[in-house]
Amino acid sequence: MEKNVLKVHAPIDYMVAAILLLVGIGLFFVNRILGVTIVVVAVLCFLLFKSGYRMEGDGKLLKKKNVELSRHCRETMLDFINGSKKEPEMIKGNLGGTILLEVWYNAKETVAYVRLSDYVEFAFQKLTGIVELPTEKAAKLISEL
């Protein structure tokens, strides 16, 4: 079964919207047009801006990091994701081609989900689905980021 990643509100999103709302209300008494404009921006920010991620069916808030790696470490990263290798070999850059490692992680709870994509014909094509890493592998990968 394919895991789905959902974009959700992080606590910082609520704080930014609340600060904009308070600034807009304060400016309303000084300059009505500017105050109303900032209140509208705050409402739109609350409705549209989502900077957190969550796996479908899981309650943990995650961050996302994309890392472009050299194609030379493709096999070792596949082995690391599949479980046959203990240490990730991450050669950053595009030497010999590019692969994309997408990591959704929560460092406090030591949880990580990864997906590997290969750059072919001017687009990234998925090599793996979204895979949850065991706790010890997740800790090693998070420390490498």
Side-chain angles (χ1 to χ4, degrees), residues 8-29:
V8 295
H9 290 289
I12 190 74
D13 302 336
Y14 293 120
M15 291 191 308
V16 168
I19 290 171
L20 282 173
L21 185 64
L22 292 175
V23 168
I25 290 170
L27 281 175
F28 179 77
F29 298 108

Side-chain angles (χ1 to χ4, degrees), residues 4-52:
N4 292 323
V5 181
L6 305 172
K7 271 196 100 137
V8 295
H9 290 289
I12 190 74
D13 302 336
Y14 293 120
M15 291 191 308
V16 168
I19 290 171
L20 282 173
L21 185 64
L22 292 175
V23 168
I25 290 170
L27 281 175
F28 179 77
F29 298 108
V30 176
N31 185 342
R32 288 182 190 240
I33 294 173
L34 185 59
V36 170
T37 303
I38 292 180
V39 167
V40 168
V41 168
V43 170
L44 288 175
C45 183
F46 174 73
L47 293 174
L48 302 176
F49 185 66
K50 298 178 181 180
S51 65

